[in-house]
Amino acid sequence: MLYEIEPNDIKDDASVVFLGDSITGVTTHINDDDWYVFDASAPGLLSVNLSSDVSHAFDYFNVIAYDADHTILSSRRGGGNSYYEDPLSFTVAAPTSGLYYIVVESSTAHTTDPYDLTVNFTEGSLTSFAEDYETESNNIAPKDNPAFADAIAF
């Protein structure tokens, strides 16, 4: 089993994630952000899963995926437990090769109970997958600049 290595509270001190291996971490205090990094060798899909044995129904964790430019690709908030939800899981497009970051931070509640984080990566052209995934940057309204809008196919 792998464990987070402190300090990893900022992007520059991110712990390396070994794809497919679970890493155990703890947010020891309310401002303890745990940063993780991995290097994608090609475009593909990034799958993130956080689970915890916390036994209460609170939002203990924010899990955020960033690209190398610090653009948020996706995020989820929850307990990461089976009390009222499944583990925090999401899949997001990684449209280029390069560094990607996952941050686990305290949410509206705080716990010092450990969490397990697993990151997987499926290499491939984003058009080769059965489902479409949002890509960044698309925060500008299409009426202002249509080049920044994601295409939707029916």
Side-chain angles (χ1 to χ4, degrees):
M1 176 161 295
L2 301 171
Y3 296 91
E4 73 165 313
I5 299 172
E6 292 285 356
N8 66 341
D9 298 335
I10 60 173
K11 179 180 172 181
D12 291 339
D13 293 334
S15 297
V16 174
V17 169
F18 296 97
L19 298 175
D21 288 344
S22 179
I23 188 165
T24 299
V26 176
T27 54
T28 57
H29 54 83
I30 194 75
N31 295 317
D32 179 17
D33 296 344
D34 294 337
W35 282 77
Y36 301 94
V37 63
F38 76 95
D39 194 355
S41 60
L45 295 179
L46 169 66
S47 299
V48 179
N49 181 308
L50 181 138
S51 61
S52 175
D53 288 332
V54 176
S55 61
H56 305 286
F58 294 110
D59 290 337
Y60 286 109
F61 305 104
N62 290 328
V63 182
I64 308 163
Y66 290 96
D67 67 12
D69 295 325
H70 204 77
T71 301
I72 294 175
L73 301 175
S74 189
S75 66
R76 297 293 184 277
R77 178 175 53 189
N81 58 40
S82 60
Y83 188 83
Y84 70 102
E85 64 182 26
D86 289 328
L88 295 172
S89 299
F90 59 92
T91 301
V92 63
T96 64
S97 62
L99 297 179
Y100 288 88
Y101 296 86
I102 306 298
V103 180
V104 178
E105 58 185 29
S106 290
S107 184
T108 55
H110 179 255
T111 181
T112 56
D113 288 343
Y115 61 82
D116 292 317
L117 177 72
T118 305
V119 178
N120 289 295
F121 183 74
T122 305
E123 188 177 304
S125 165
L126 297 182
T127 59
S128 68
F129 297 103
E131 298 178 27
D132 290 326
Y133 293 88
E134 175 194 19
T135 58
E136 294 294 342
S137 148
N138 67 344
N139 298 327
I140 297 173
K143 67 178 179 53
D144 297 329
N145 188 341
F148 287 100
D150 281 341
I152 298 175
F154 295 97

